[in-house]
Amino acid sequence: MHELGIIFEVINTVEDIAKEQGLTEIASITLGVGEVSLVIPQYLRECWPAAVYKHPMFEKTELNIHVIPGEAKCSKCGTYFNIIQTEGYCPKCKSFDKEIISGKEFLIEEILAC
């Protein structure tokens, strides 16, 4: 489960930003997680309490996760489609050749201070 390591990196990054801004408490953090990023949102949620255990700045922090749809453009016919819903195949021409447009991202979208 690499999600625990990812959460530790998020904590380190947010701590650095909070120190730069003079913040002592964080109300919420919103992460953008792509559907095809190989990061499992549920695992992030499950790791969160253990990861923030010894970080007082995050004692009351709510973790929000925004799932970014995995969208692609078919290389054969140009149709845009959701990769997950169609199992990677173009719904129009059934080709598997595609350019991924979104859904591979992992980012900190928002940090709200108390």
Side-chain angles (χ1 to χ4, degrees):
M1 179 189 314
H2 62 283
E3 283 79 5
L4 182 59
I6 291 170
I7 286 294
F8 282 133
E9 285 304 313
V10 168
I11 289 168
N12 290 338
T13 300
V14 173
E15 279 181 331
D16 290 345
I17 293 168
K19 286 175 187 170
E20 283 177 16
Q21 301 296 318
L23 306 174
T24 57
E25 256 187 278
I26 303 298
S28 70
I29 297 171
T30 302
L31 303 178
V33 180
E35 278 185 315
V36 293
S37 68
L38 304 179
V39 177
I40 314 256
Q42 185 59 37
Y43 293 171
L44 293 173
R45 286 184 194 96
E46 291 172 4
C47 291
W48 182 253
V52 300
Y53 175 67
K54 291 190 178 186
H55 296 269
M57 179 182 294
F58 300 102
E59 281 179 1
K60 299 175 186 171
T61 304
E62 180 182 342
L63 177 65
N64 301 305
I65 298 176
H66 166 234
V67 177
I68 301 166
E71 300 292 325
K73 179 181 178 184
C74 178
S75 299
K76 301 255 182 189
C77 71
T79 299
Y80 288 87
F81 60 96
N82 181 283
I83 300 165
I84 301 298
Q85 291 172 354
T86 64
E87 298 180 353
Y89 291 92
C90 174
K92 186 174 180 182
C93 73
K94 308 301 181 209
S95 172
F96 198 71
D97 293 334
K98 63 193 162 290
E99 173 189 354
I100 296 176
I101 306 297
S102 68
K104 292 173 77 174
E105 303 90 343
F106 180 86
L107 51 109
I108 299 171
E109 289 184 344
E110 185 176 59
I111 302 166
L112 293 177
C114 291

